[in-house]
Amino acid sequence: MYHVRALHRWLVTASAWLVLGHALMAHPGTDVAIIDLSTLISSSPDSAELRLRRATCYIEHQRWSEAAADIDHAARLSPDHPDLALARAEYFLASNEPLESIKALTSHLVSHPTDPAAHILRARARARSGDLVGAQSDFQLALRHLPEPKPELWLEANALITESVSALADLETGLTRLGPVPALEERALRLELQLGRTESALQRLTRLATQAERPETYHRRRGDILVQANRLPEARRAYAEALAAIDRLPDWLRQSEPTQQLIVQLTPLATSRL
Amino acid sequence: MKLPSSLLLLALIAAPFAQAATTIVRGPYLQLATPTSIVVRWRTDNTEPSSVRYGLAANQLTLTAKSEGISTDHVVQLAKLQPNTRYFYAPLTGNDKPAKPGAEDVSPSAPISSFITPPLPGPAQPTRVWVLGDPGTKNATQAAVRDAYYKFNGNHTTDLWLMLGDNAYSEGTDADYQKAVFEMYPTLLRTVPLWPTLGNHDGKSANSLTQSGVYYDIFSLPTMGQAGGVPSGTEAYYSFDHANIHFICLDSNDSPRDADGAMAQWLRADLAATTRDWIIAFFHHPTYTKGTHDSDKDSDSGGRMNDMRANFLPILEAGGVDLILSGHSHDYERSHFIDGHYGKSQTWEPRYIRQARDGRPEGQGAYTKPRARTPHSGEISVVTGSAGHASSTAIPLNHPAMWISLNEAGSSVIDIEGLKLNFTFLNETGVIRDTFTIEKK
């Protein structure tokens, strides 16, 4: 009898997964995913995982009471589910209750101290609650625990550093770990110019030009910075280097509309007395 | 015959320590191909060191590449290769014993495979690309689409293949990938480098922010511009070169899609930097579709299609993109030769069509573009998301940007020869259902 019941349970679950699999393959949008998950939950009402997945969809749609109900239900079904704390924290953060989110994550991090996702979420919750120092600390821990942190994460953490010199140093660390990622380079360049570190900015652009297959725009930007700094002969040389880089391009690229426009702009700058 | 009891005792003691024969249970498969290097990956059922024998002939595997440590998931880079050259290789497993203890020179027992390194970037070379959108159903349709391509391709070389996301249904788990990818395309995987993008189903078992989970564990993708292009700093989005083609992979599923975010900034820099003749972008969520998804519906797919159309399409078009490939809708939809439409279909106007013809040399004529890269000079957007199945129910297929829309399972083939790009949509029975050509002058 037990085997018959087990087989029946298995068949119900398997067919529900098949239905869900088919539905999700056809309509994986979040709104439809809620409908599909609801269908599956009605077939497998004891699955905490399904409740948590539906809760995430509800959070995305800001359907707070339904999200909370699913999380609470999942907690009753599986109090030790590994994703429970994160789902709860996500819910509190999205519904603008960062302190509750922090509480849930702090408790989770006691048993999972190196969970980068939890640190990222708590960093965001702490930032939302005004605790910038705590947020920075959590971001640093997340970045430390991730073997390959993403540029977006580094920039998000960096944006919390209010002091420009420290922010710049942090970006340099990021560039060392991630490589010359454009978004990090651009922010570093902006900070260098804000801090009046013209020489560093020029060196950065020179390095980027050296690494680039098409260095002309970097030389042009060097020229613009040098003009701002009233270093006109050097500016002319930078513009001339941009023109020389364009000259080295194959004909078909040199003749492209944007490149022709650039030549028109650069030629007087490289030759005239600015 | 009765064994002496001491011998029996010895056999009993030694048995647990005897090394079972190692089986390769996944791969080998090829990743991150550059003109001078390639990554070979495979999985064994036993934990063991990772090394590959390789050489210029099947009977001369004279070189060895190794990775540190021991593992069941093996990742070995073969470096200092010659561009555009066929290499033969085989992973070494625990079954391969050195002739003498400590000797390096062993012959692999695993089958010997081969690959051709990509040519140097820049000069043109005939290139064939196989494109699979949403293939991972593991069912007979996926196999039929595969077999139709194999038959179509014959002995022609496939230079690389793209997977446009939803590579392994329904959860993108390791087990899903085993069935939907590794057991579905074993021959191609060990001979041709595969370049994937993340779909929403792959995203169920992966996290782009932490770059963790199955998708990120399985694939080795360039973060530092190793294969050409500007370093992205992440495997979530990247670019690479092959001959005179620049490929751009975006993460439409799980990376921030704001117009000034890190991915957008990288895309601008990458487009500005390339000097290749052709630019082909691929990502999962289409900019235009009226198939199993609706790009007009804000709630469909969390607004990802809107984001890709409103934030990324203008950057791609300003950078001179030639072809945009996506999946997600389980059908085939091919656009007119268009530019500048970033709204919903209600805002479509015929003026967005840059060349109103079928794009077929034997019909109304190929699409033409200037070789000198010109912003907003027109591109084709293709939704080719039916490599696993087509829609089982009727779908509208009436987006006005589309020149042709088909609810048919199939895959796409790109052939580039110099300044001519030929595109083919091949259905699951092997019938060519659409073609177009773009020529640069």
Side-chain angles (χ1 to χ4, degrees), chain B residues 37-98:
Chain B
S37 66
I38 201 161
V39 170
V40 180
R41 299 190 59 158
W42 71 100
R43 178 180 286 177
T44 49
D45 57 352
N46 287 327
T47 301
E48 56 179 36
S50 309
S51 56
V52 174
R53 294 299 301 253
Y54 64 105
L56 291 166
N59 59 357
Q60 288 182 330
L61 304 186
T62 53
L63 302 163
T64 305
K66 295 177 179 177
S67 291
E68 294 291 315
I70 57 168
S71 180
T72 53
D73 282 305
H74 306 275
V75 184
V76 175
Q77 187 185 46
L78 316 188
K80 296 181 181 170
L81 305 178
Q82 292 298 312
N84 203 21
T85 302
R86 182 177 290 280
Y87 283 87
F88 295 81
Y89 76 98
L92 291 177
T93 68
N95 309 337
D96 306 313
K97 303 294 179 206

Coordinates of all heavy atoms in Angstrom, one line a residue, chain B residues 37-98:
Chain B
S37 N 45.1 30.0 -28.4 CA 44.8 29.2 -27.2 C 43.3 28.7 -27.2 O 42.5 29.2 -27.9 CB 45.0 30.0 -25.9 OG 44.0 31.1 -25.8
I38 N 43.1 27.6 -26.4 CA 41.7 27.1 -26.3 C 41.6 26.4 -24.9 O 42.6 26.0 -24.4 CB 41.4 26.1 -27.4 CG1 39.9 26.0 -27.6 CG2 42.0 24.8 -27.2 CD1 39.5 25.5 -29.0
V39 N 40.4 26.4 -24.4 CA 40.2 25.8 -23.1 C 39.5 24.5 -23.3 O 38.4 24.4 -24.0 CB 39.4 26.7 -22.1 CG1 39.0 25.9 -20.9 CG2 40.2 27.9 -21.7
V40 N 40.1 23.4 -22.9 CA 39.4 22.0 -23.0 C 38.9 21.7 -21.6 O 39.6 21.8 -20.6 CB 40.4 21.0 -23.4 CG1 39.7 19.6 -23.5 CG2 41.1 21.3 -24.7
R41 N 37.6 21.3 -21.5 CA 37.0 21.0 -20.3 C 36.3 19.6 -20.4 O 35.9 19.2 -21.4 CB 35.9 22.0 -19.9 CG 36.4 23.4 -19.8 CD 35.4 24.4 -19.2 NE 34.9 23.9 -17.8 CZ 34.4 24.7 -16.9 NH1 34.2 26.0 -17.2 NH2 34.0 24.2 -15.8
W42 N 36.3 18.9 -19.3 CA 35.6 17.6 -19.2 C 35.4 17.2 -17.8 O 35.9 17.8 -16.9 CB 36.4 16.5 -20.0 CG 37.7 16.0 -19.3 CD1 37.9 14.9 -18.6 CD2 39.0 16.7 -19.3 NE1 39.2 14.8 -18.1 CE2 39.9 15.9 -18.6 CE3 39.5 17.9 -19.9 CZ2 41.2 16.3 -18.4 CZ3 40.8 18.2 -19.7 CH2 41.6 17.4 -19.0
R43 N 34.5 16.2 -17.6 CA 34.2 15.8 -16.2 C 34.5 14.3 -16.2 O 34.1 13.5 -17.1 CB 32.8 16.1 -15.9 CG 32.4 15.5 -14.5 CD 30.9 15.9 -14.2 NE 30.8 17.3 -13.9 CZ 29.6 17.8 -13.6 NH1 28.5 17.1 -13.7 NH2 29.5 19.1 -13.3
T44 N 35.1 13.8 -15.1 CA 35.3 12.4 -14.9 C 34.6 11.9 -13.6 O 34.2 12.8 -12.8 CB 36.8 12.1 -14.7 OG1 37.3 13.0 -13.7 CG2 37.6 12.3 -15.9
D45 N 34.4 10.6 -13.6 CA 33.7 10.1 -12.4 C 34.6 10.0 -11.2 O 34.1 9.8 -10.1 CB 32.9 8.8 -12.7 CG 33.9 7.7 -13.3 OD1 35.1 8.0 -13.5 OD2 33.4 6.6 -13.4
N46 N 35.9 10.0 -11.4 CA 36.9 10.0 -10.3 C 37.6 11.3 -10.2 O 37.8 12.0 -11.3 CB 37.9 8.9 -10.6 CG 37.4 7.5 -10.4 OD1 36.5 7.3 -9.5 ND2 37.9 6.6 -11.2
T47 N 38.0 11.7 -9.0 CA 38.8 12.9 -8.9 C 40.2 12.5 -9.3 O 40.8 11.5 -8.8 CB 38.8 13.3 -7.4 OG1 37.5 13.5 -7.0 CG2 39.7 14.5 -7.2
E48 N 40.8 13.4 -10.2 CA 42.2 13.1 -10.6 C 42.8 14.3 -11.2 O 42.1 15.3 -11.4 CB 42.1 11.9 -11.7 CG 41.2 12.2 -12.8 CD 41.3 11.0 -13.8 OE1 41.4 9.9 -13.4 OE2 41.2 11.3 -15.0
P49 N 44.1 14.3 -11.5 CA 44.7 15.4 -12.1 C 44.2 15.7 -13.5 O 43.6 14.9 -14.1 CB 46.2 15.0 -12.2 CG 46.4 13.9 -11.3 CD 45.0 13.2 -11.3
S50 N 44.4 17.0 -13.9 CA 43.8 17.4 -15.2 C 45.0 17.6 -16.2 O 45.8 18.5 -16.0 CB 43.1 18.8 -15.1 OG 42.2 18.7 -14.0
S51 N 45.0 16.8 -17.2 CA 46.0 17.1 -18.3 C 45.5 16.6 -19.6 O 44.6 15.7 -19.7 CB 47.3 16.4 -18.0 OG 47.2 15.1 -17.7
V52 N 46.0 17.2 -20.7 CA 45.6 17.0 -22.0 C 46.8 16.7 -22.9 O 47.8 17.5 -22.8 CB 44.8 18.2 -22.6 CG1 44.5 18.0 -24.1 CG2 43.5 18.4 -21.8
R53 N 46.8 15.7 -23.7 CA 47.8 15.5 -24.7 C 47.3 16.1 -26.0 O 46.2 15.9 -26.4 CB 48.1 14.0 -24.9 CG 48.7 13.3 -23.7 CD 50.1 13.9 -23.3 NE 51.1 13.8 -24.4 CZ 52.1 13.0 -24.4 NH1 52.3 12.2 -23.4 NH2 53.0 13.1 -25.4
Y54 N 48.2 16.8 -26.7 CA 47.7 17.3 -28.0 C 48.9 17.5 -29.0 O 50.1 17.4 -28.6 CB 47.1 18.7 -27.8 CG 47.9 19.8 -27.2 CD1 48.4 20.8 -28.0 CD2 48.3 19.8 -25.9 CE1 49.2 21.8 -27.5 CE2 49.1 20.8 -25.4 CZ 49.6 21.8 -26.2 OH 50.3 22.8 -25.7
G55 N 48.6 17.7 -30.2 CA 49.6 17.8 -31.2 C 49.0 18.0 -32.6 O 47.8 18.2 -32.7
L56 N 49.8 18.1 -33.6 CA 49.4 18.4 -34.9 C 48.9 17.2 -35.7 O 48.4 17.4 -36.8 CB 50.5 19.2 -35.7 CG 50.8 20.6 -35.1 CD1 52.1 21.1 -35.7 CD2 49.7 21.5 -35.4
A57 N 49.0 16.0 -35.2 CA 48.5 14.9 -35.9 C 48.0 13.9 -34.8 O 48.4 13.9 -33.7 CB 49.6 14.2 -36.7
A58 N 47.0 13.1 -35.2 CA 46.3 12.2 -34.3 C 47.3 11.2 -33.7 O 47.2 10.8 -32.5 CB 45.2 11.5 -35.0
N59 N 48.3 10.9 -34.4 CA 49.3 9.9 -33.9 C 50.6 10.6 -33.4 O 51.6 10.0 -33.1 CB 49.7 8.9 -35.0 CG 50.3 9.6 -36.2 OD1 50.4 10.8 -36.3 ND2 50.7 8.8 -37.2
Q60 N 50.5 11.9 -33.2 CA 51.6 12.6 -32.6 C 51.2 13.6 -31.6 O 51.3 14.9 -31.8 CB 52.4 13.4 -33.8 CG 53.1 12.4 -34.7 CD 53.9 13.2 -35.7 OE1 53.5 14.3 -36.2 NE2 55.0 12.7 -36.2
L61 N 50.6 13.1 -30.5 CA 50.2 14.0 -29.4 C 51.4 14.2 -28.5 O 51.5 13.7 -27.5 CB 49.0 13.4 -28.7 CG 47.8 13.0 -29.5 CD1 46.7 12.5 -28.6 CD2 47.3 14.2 -30.3
T62 N 52.3 15.1 -29.0 CA 53.6 15.2 -28.4 C 53.6 16.2 -27.3 O 54.6 16.3 -26.5 CB 54.6 15.6 -29.4 OG1 54.1 16.8 -30.1 CG2 54.8 14.5 -30.4
L63 N 52.5 17.0 -27.2 CA 52.5 18.1 -26.2 C 51.6 17.8 -25.0 O 50.6 17.1 -25.3 CB 52.1 19.4 -26.8 CG 53.1 19.9 -28.0 CD1 52.4 20.9 -28.8 CD2 54.4 20.4 -27.4
T64 N 51.9 18.3 -23.9 CA 51.0 18.1 -22.7 C 50.7 19.4 -22.1 O 51.6 20.2 -21.9 CB 51.6 17.2 -21.7 OG1 52.0 16.0 -22.3 CG2 50.7 16.8 -20.5
A65 N 49.4 19.6 -21.8 CA 49.0 20.8 -21.0 C 48.3 20.3 -19.7 O 47.6 19.3 -19.7 CB 48.1 21.7 -21.8
K66 N 48.6 21.0 -18.6 CA 48.0 20.6 -17.3 C 47.5 21.7 -16.5 O 47.8 22.9 -16.8 CB 49.2 20.0 -16.5 CG 49.8 18.7 -17.0 CD 51.0 18.3 -16.1 CE 51.6 17.0 -16.7 NZ 52.7 16.6 -15.9
S67 N 46.6 21.4 -15.6 CA 46.1 22.3 -14.6 C 46.6 21.9 -13.2 O 46.8 20.7 -13.0 CB 44.6 22.5 -14.6 OG 44.2 23.1 -15.8
E68 N 46.6 22.8 -12.3 CA 47.0 22.5 -10.9 C 45.9 21.6 -10.3 O 44.7 21.8 -10.6 CB 47.2 23.8 -10.1 CG 48.4 24.6 -10.6 CD 49.7 23.9 -10.3 OE1 49.9 23.4 -9.1 OE2 50.6 23.9 -11.1
G69 N 46.3 20.8 -9.3 CA 45.3 20.2 -8.4 C 44.6 19.0 -9.1 O 44.9 18.6 -10.2
I70 N 43.7 18.5 -8.3 CA 42.9 17.3 -8.8 C 41.4 17.7 -8.7 O 41.0 18.5 -7.9 CB 43.2 16.0 -8.0 CG1 42.9 16.3 -6.5 CG2 44.6 15.6 -8.2 CD1 42.8 15.0 -5.7
S71 N 40.6 17.1 -9.6 CA 39.2 17.5 -9.7 C 38.4 16.4 -10.5 O 39.0 15.6 -11.1 CB 39.1 18.8 -10.4 OG 37.8 19.2 -10.5
T72 N 37.1 16.5 -10.4 CA 36.3 15.8 -11.4 C 35.9 16.7 -12.5 O 35.6 16.2 -13.6 CB 35.0 15.2 -10.7 OG1 34.3 16.4 -10.1 CG2 35.3 14.2 -9.7
D73 N 35.9 18.0 -12.3 CA 35.7 18.9 -13.4 C 37.0 19.5 -13.8 O 37.6 20.3 -13.1 CB 34.7 20.0 -12.9 CG 33.3 19.5 -12.9 OD1 32.8 19.0 -14.0 OD2 32.6 19.5 -11.9
H74 N 37.4 19.2 -15.0 CA 38.7 19.5 -15.5 C 38.7 20.7 -16.5 O 37.9 20.7 -17.4 CB 39.4 18.3 -16.2 CG 39.3 17.1 -15.3 ND1 40.3 16.8 -14.4 CD2 38.4 16.1 -15.2 CE1 40.0 15.7 -13.7 NE2 38.8 15.2 -14.2
V75 N 39.6 21.6 -16.2 CA 39.7 22.8 -17.1 C 41.2 23.0 -17.4 O 42.0 23.3 -16.6 CB 39.2 24.1 -16.3 CG1 39.2 25.3 -17.3 CG2 37.8 23.9 -15.8
V76 N 41.5 22.8 -18.7 CA 42.9 22.9 -19.1 C 43.0 23.8 -20.3 O 42.3 23.6 -21.3 CB 43.5 21.5 -19.4 CG1 44.9 21.6 -20.0 CG2 43.4 20.6 -18.2
Q77 N 43.9 24.8 -20.2 CA 44.1 25.7 -21.3 C 45.3 25.2 -22.2 O 46.4 25.0 -21.6 CB 44.4 27.1 -20.9 CG 44.4 28.1 -22.1 CD 44.8 29.5 -21.7 OE1 45.7 29.7 -21.0 NE2 44.0 30.4 -22.3
L78 N 45.1 25.1 -23.4 CA 46.2 24.8 -24.4 C 46.6 26.1 -24.9 O 45.8 26.9 -25.5 CB 45.7 23.9 -25.5 CG 44.9 22.7 -25.2 CD1 44.7 21.8 -26.5 CD2 45.4 21.8 -24.1
A79 N 47.9 26.4 -24.7 CA 48.4 27.8 -25.1 C 49.5 27.6 -26.2 O 49.9 26.5 -26.5 CB 48.9 28.5 -23.9
K80 N 49.9 28.8 -26.7 CA 50.9 28.9 -27.7 C 50.6 28.0 -28.9 O 51.4 27.3 -29.5 CB 52.3 28.4 -27.1 CG 52.8 29.4 -26.0 CD 54.1 28.9 -25.5 CE 54.6 29.9 -24.4 NZ 55.7 29.4 -23.7
L81 N 49.3 28.1 -29.3 CA 48.9 27.4 -30.5 C 49.1 28.3 -31.7 O 49.3 29.5 -31.6 CB 47.4 27.0 -30.4 CG 47.0 26.2 -29.2 CD1 45.5 26.0 -29.2 CD2 47.8 24.9 -29.1
Q82 N 49.1 27.7 -32.9 CA 49.2 28.4 -34.1 C 47.7 28.8 -34.6 O 46.8 27.9 -34.5 CB 49.8 27.6 -35.2 CG 51.3 27.3 -35.0 CD 52.1 28.5 -35.0 OE1 52.0 29.4 -35.9 NE2 52.9 28.7 -34.0
P83 N 47.5 30.0 -35.1 CA 46.2 30.4 -35.6 C 45.8 29.5 -36.8 O 46.6 29.0 -37.5 CB 46.4 31.8 -36.0 CG 47.6 32.3 -35.4 CD 48.5 31.1 -35.2
N84 N 44.5 29.3 -36.8 CA 43.9 28.7 -38.0 C 44.5 27.3 -38.3 O 44.9 27.0 -39.5 CB 44.0 29.6 -39.2 CG 43.0 29.3 -40.3 OD1 42.0 28.7 -40.0 ND2 43.3 29.7 -41.5
T85 N 44.7 26.5 -37.3 CA 45.5 25.3 -37.4 C 44.7 24.2 -36.8 O 44.1 24.4 -35.7 CB 46.9 25.4 -36.8 OG1 47.6 26.5 -37.4 CG2 47.7 24.1 -36.9
R86 N 44.7 23.0 -37.4 CA 44.0 21.9 -36.7 C 44.9 21.2 -35.7 O 46.0 20.9 -36.0 CB 43.5 20.8 -37.8 CG 42.7 19.7 -37.1 CD 42.2 18.7 -38.2 NE 41.1 19.2 -39.0 CZ 39.9 19.3 -38.6 NH1 39.5 18.9 -37.4 NH2 39.0 19.8 -39.5
Y87 N 44.4 21.0 -34.5 CA 45.1 20.3 -33.5 C 44.3 19.1 -33.1 O 43.0 19.1 -33.1 CB 45.2 21.2 -32.2 CG 46.4 22.2 -32.4 CD1 46.1 23.4 -33.0 CD2 47.7 21.9 -32.0 CE1 47.1 24.4 -33.1 CE2 48.7 22.8 -32.1 CZ 48.4 24.1 -32.7 OH 49.4 25.0 -32.9
F88 N 45.0 18.0 -32.7 CA 44.3 16.8 -32.2 C 44.6 16.8 -30.7 O 45.7 17.2 -30.3 CB 44.9 15.6 -32.9 CG 44.6 15.6 -34.4 CD1 45.3 16.3 -35.3 CD2 43.5 14.8 -34.8 CE1 45.0 16.3 -36.6 CE2 43.2 14.8 -36.2 CZ 43.9 15.6 -37.1
Y89 N 43.7 16.2 -29.9 CA 43.9 16.2 -28.5 C 43.1 15.1 -27.8 O 42.1 14.6 -28.4 CB 43.5 17.6 -27.9 CG 42.0 17.8 -27.8 CD1 41.3 17.5 -26.6 CD2 41.2 18.2 -28.9 CE1 39.9 17.7 -26.5 CE2 39.8 18.3 -28.8 CZ 39.2 18.1 -27.6 OH 37.8 18.2 -27.5
A90 N 43.5 14.8 -26.7 CA 42.7 13.9 -25.8 C 43.0 14.1 -24.4 O 44.2 14.3 -24.0 CB 43.0 12.4 -26.2
P91 N 42.0 14.2 -23.5 CA 42.3 14.3 -22.1 C 43.0 13.0 -21.6 O 42.7 11.9 -22.1 CB 40.9 14.4 -21.4 CG 40.0 14.7 -22.6 CD 40.6 14.1 -23.8
L92 N 43.8 13.2 -20.6 CA 44.4 12.0 -20.0 C 43.6 11.7 -18.7 O 43.2 12.6 -18.0 CB 45.9 12.3 -19.6 CG 46.9 12.4 -20.7 CD1 48.2 12.8 -20.1 CD2 47.0 11.2 -21.5
T93 N 43.3 10.4 -18.6 CA 42.5 10.0 -17.4 C 43.4 9.1 -16.5 O 44.5 8.7 -16.9 CB 41.2 9.3 -17.8 OG1 41.6 8.1 -18.4 CG2 40.4 10.2 -18.7
G94 N 42.8 8.7 -15.4 CA 43.5 7.8 -14.5 C 43.8 6.4 -15.1 O 44.7 5.7 -14.6
N95 N 43.1 6.1 -16.2 CA 43.4 4.9 -16.9 C 44.7 4.9 -17.7 O 45.3 3.8 -18.0 CB 42.3 4.6 -18.0 CG 40.9 4.7 -17.4 OD1 40.8 4.6 -16.2 ND2 39.9 4.9 -18.2
D96 N 45.2 6.1 -17.9 CA 46.4 6.2 -18.7 C 47.7 6.2 -17.9 O 48.0 7.1 -17.2 CB 46.4 7.5 -19.5 CG 45.1 7.6 -20.3 OD1 44.7 6.7 -21.0 OD2 44.5 8.7 -20.2
K97 N 48.3 5.0 -17.8 CA 49.5 4.8 -16.9 C 50.7 5.2 -17.7 O 50.9 4.7 -18.9 CB 49.5 3.4 -16.4 CG 48.3 2.9 -15.7 CD 48.1 3.7 -14.4 CE 46.8 3.2 -13.7 NZ 46.2 4.2 -12.8
P98 N 51.7 5.8 -17.0 CA 52.9 6.1 -17.7 C 53.6 4.8 -18.0 O 53.4 3.8 -17.2 CB 53.7 6.9 -16.7 CG 52.8 7.3 -15.7 CD 51.6 6.4 -15.7

